Amino acid sequence: MEKLVVHGGQPLTGTLSVSASKNAALPLMAAALLPHGVTVLDQIPQLRDITTFSHVMRITGASVQCMDRKLTIDASRVDFPEAPYDLVKKMRASFYMLGALLGRCGQARVSLPGGCAWGPRPVDLHLEGLKALGAEIDLDEGYVVAHAPRGRLSGGSYRFEPSSVGATVNLLLAACLGSGGSRIENAAIEPDVLVFCEMLTAMGAKLEGIGTRTIEVEGVAELHPVQFSNCPDRIELGTFMIAAAIAGIPDQPVVMTHTRSDHLGNEFLDAFQGTGAKCIIDDSNSTITVTAPERLTPVSITTGIYPGFPTDLQAQWTVLLACADGSATVTDQVYGDRFNHIPELARMGLMAHVSGNQVTVQGGKPLSGARVMSTDLRASVSLVLAAMVAKGTTHVGRIYHLDRGYEALESKLSQCGIQIRREQYDEFAAVHQG
Ligand code: EPZ
C-alpha cells in the first residue's frame, strides 16, 4: 500500500495548477456511449476513478483509449448492456451506466452500488425517476434490471426531492434517445451537470432549461459523436484555496491557474472571504490569487446543493477552522454523517465535537503529526491539509482514496514548498510498529 509522508510547518508558496474535473468527466464519458461512433474527450484527469469507469464502459463492448488526458471512446459497438458488481462496488458513479445503457440499448443490467464510506447513499430517486420516464425496473440478485418497452423510453415527468446530481445525469442519459418528451423538475444545477448538458446538446440532444431547475427533453432518434473539452475541478480549486489560507505566508499570494472560479458557488466564496483570506479573481475566472491573513477568523458553514457550500469541501473547511482563532461549526445537510475524518484529525490534536449532522471545532490549538488513515477521498485530503500545518511528521495511510480524485497532489504541493513524499508501506507491519 502507499502513504504520504508530510513534514509539517513549511509555507505554501508559488503557483498551483488545477486539474480537470473528475465529477464532470464521469458523466461526459457515460454520454459518449449514446451515439454510434467515436467521441473524443479532452482534459480528462489521470485518476483512479477514470480508469475504473473506463473498465466499466469496456465491458459493454465500447473501446476506451486514453492518451495525454485525451479519451477516445469508440461506441460503434455496445452489445453487452451490463455493469458488474465487481466494478460498480469500487465507484458509485458507475451507476451512470444505467441511464446510458437504457438510452443506447433500451435495456440495462447494472449492479446496485452497495455501501459507501459514510452512511447510506440511496439510489431510489434514480429508479423512481427512470420508471416515471417509462422504464420497467426489477431487482435481481443485487442488480437493477431495466427495460424500455419497445426499445425506447416513452418519456414522462419526474420531480426530484431532494435534488440529485447523479439521478439528474441518469435521467438525462436515458431520456435524450427516448421516443417522447420528458420533464425533470428540481434538477441538479451543479456545474458538472451543466457541462454534461452542453455536451449532450452538442451531440444533437434537444434540451431546454439547461441551468434551471426544470429541464425539458425532446427525445431524438439518434445522437452524433463529438469532440468535447472538460472543465477544471472546482473541488480541487476550493481545496487549494483552503491550503493557501492555512499554509500561505501573509502578504505572499498563492496563485491558482486553470480555474473556473464561477463554478465555486457564492456560499463558498463568501465564507472564504469571511475568514480574512484575500481572494482576487481575474476577469476571465481562470486565475485566482489567495493571500493568507495574519489570523484566520472562524466562519461557520452549512453544506447545500449548488450554489450552496459543497459537501465535498466540508472536511477541508474543518481543517481551516482548526487553524482559526475561536469556535465555529460545520453542518452537512447533504450527507448528515460524513464525518469519518474527525477521529483521524483528533489524533492530530483537533478539538472537535460531532453532534448529529454538525461538528463544532474549537480552533487555535496547534496540530501535531501522527499516523492517520484515509477513509474516503475528501477525508484524505483534509488529512494532508492538516499535516501541512502540523508540528512534526504525519503519515497519511490508505491514499488509494486520494488517488481516486486528486491528480498528482504530492508533486503539485512539493513544487510549492510543502515537504511531502509518497512511500510504500505494509499496513500490518505499521500497526505493530505503532
Ligand atoms: C455527487 O454524488 C458527487 N459524485 C459527490 O462527490 C458529491 O458529494 C455529491 O454529488 C453531492 O454534491 C459525483 O459527481 C460522482 P447526489 P451523487 O445524488 O450524485 C440524496 C466526491 O467526493 N439522494 O446529488 O451520488 C443523497 O443521499 C463525491 O467527489 C437520495 O436520497 O450525490 C444526498 O443527500 C462524493 N436518493 C442528496 O440526495 C437518491 O436516489 C444529493 O446526492 C440519490 C440521492
Side-chain angles (χ1 to χ4, degrees), residues 22-23 26 92-93 96 118 120-126 162-167 190 192 311-312 334-335 338 377-378:
K22 164 182 85 80
N23 286 349
L26 296 166
R92 293 180 61 82
Y96 288 152
W118 68 88
R121 287 178 71 190
V123 290
D124 55 321
L125 298 174
H126 300 242
S163 173
S164 156
V165 171
E190 269 69 3
D192 314 326
T311 172
D312 292 345
V334 180
Y335 296 117
R338 193 179 190 180
L377 171 56
R378 309 302 169 187

Side-chain angles (χ1 to χ4, degrees), residues 314-387:
Q314 60 96 333
Q316 301 89 312
W317 195 261
T318 301
V319 179
L320 182 147
L321 293 183
C323 301
D325 289 329
S327 167
T329 56
V330 169
T331 307
D332 199 327
Q333 285 190 331
V334 180
Y335 296 117
D337 46 9
R338 193 179 190 180
F339 294 119
N340 284 343
H341 47 284
I342 299 295
E344 295 302 309
L345 289 170
R347 301 192 70 247
M348 301 176 70
L350 175 78
M351 303 274 283
H353 169 70
V354 180
S355 172
N357 68 346
Q358 185 172 78
V359 51
T360 305
V361 180
Q362 182 62 51
K365 183 176 178 287
L367 299 176
S368 51
R371 284 180 194 274
V372 288
M373 192 179 74
S374 307
T375 49
D376 65 75
L377 171 56
R378 309 302 169 187
S380 4
V381 86
S382 77
L383 297 174
V384 174
L385 292 177

Side-chain angles (χ1 to χ4, degrees), residues 70 86 134 142 180 184 214 262 289 305 355 396 410 422:
K70 182 185 284 229
D86 284 347
I184 302 172
T214 303
D262 52 323
T289 305
I305 57 173
S355 172
V396 183
E410 70 269 29
R422 184 177 286 251

Side-chain angles (χ1 to χ4, degrees), residues 216-263:
E216 308 253 12
V217 186
E218 189 187 324
V220 294
E222 59 177 15
L223 296 171
H224 53 83
V226 288
Q227 172 145 7
F228 193 82
S229 248
N230 187 19
C231 63
D233 196 304
R234 66 196 171 104
I235 303 301
E236 185 180 314
L237 170 60
T239 304
F240 286 167
M241 290 171 70
I242 292 171
I246 62 173
I249 302 172
D251 293 332
Q252 280 195 31
V254 178
V255 181
M256 277 124 238
T257 58
H258 301 100
T259 66
R260 275 292 298 264
S261 55
D262 52 323
H263 283 181

Side-chain angles (χ1 to χ4, degrees), residues 56-223:
V56 179
M57 291 175 68
R58 286 186 192 111
I59 300 273
T60 68
S63 141
V64 183
Q65 287 180 335
C66 183
M67 197 184 285
D68 296 335
R69 297 185 175 75
K70 182 185 284 229
L71 273 192
T72 305
I73 299 165
D74 185 350
S76 305
R77 187 172 66 94
V78 176
D79 52 12
F80 186 67
E82 184 156 331
Y85 175 63
D86 284 347
L87 289 170
V88 179
K89 74 177 180 197
K90 288 188 180 170
M91 188 185 71
R92 293 180 61 82
S94 308
F95 208 59
Y96 288 152
M97 295 303 280
L98 184 59
L101 291 172
L102 253 180
R104 169 68 190 259
C105 306
Q107 55 177 308
R109 187 168 187 274
V110 175
S111 169
L112 282 161
C116 161
W118 68 88
R121 287 178 71 190
V123 290
D124 55 321
L125 298 174
H126 300 242
L127 304 186
E128 292 306 316
L130 289 170
K131 278 187 202 165
L133 267 47
E136 287 174 359
I137 294 189
D138 291 304
L139 297 184
D140 175 38
E141 297 184 344
Y143 279 72
V144 177
V145 182
H147 284 95
R150 292 175 294 284
R152 290 173 73 191
L153 286 185
S154 56
S157 183
Y158 190 73
R159 179 178 176 79
F160 286 120
E161 207 56 68
S163 173
S164 156
V165 171
T168 300
V169 168
N170 247 337
L171 262 61
L172 285 171
L173 285 165
C176 284
L177 288 169
S179 55
S182 296
R183 181 182 168 90
I184 302 172
E185 292 178 21
N186 202 19
I189 56 167
E190 269 69 3
D192 314 326
V193 177
L194 259 60
V195 170
F196 164 69
C197 287
E198 281 163 16
M199 173 161 158
L200 290 177
T201 305
M203 294 167 104
K206 297 227 165 94
L207 306 183
E208 270 186 29
I210 295 173
T212 73
R213 290 269 169 219
T214 303
I215 304 179
E216 308 253 12
V217 186
E218 189 187 324
V220 294
E222 59 177 15
L223 296 171

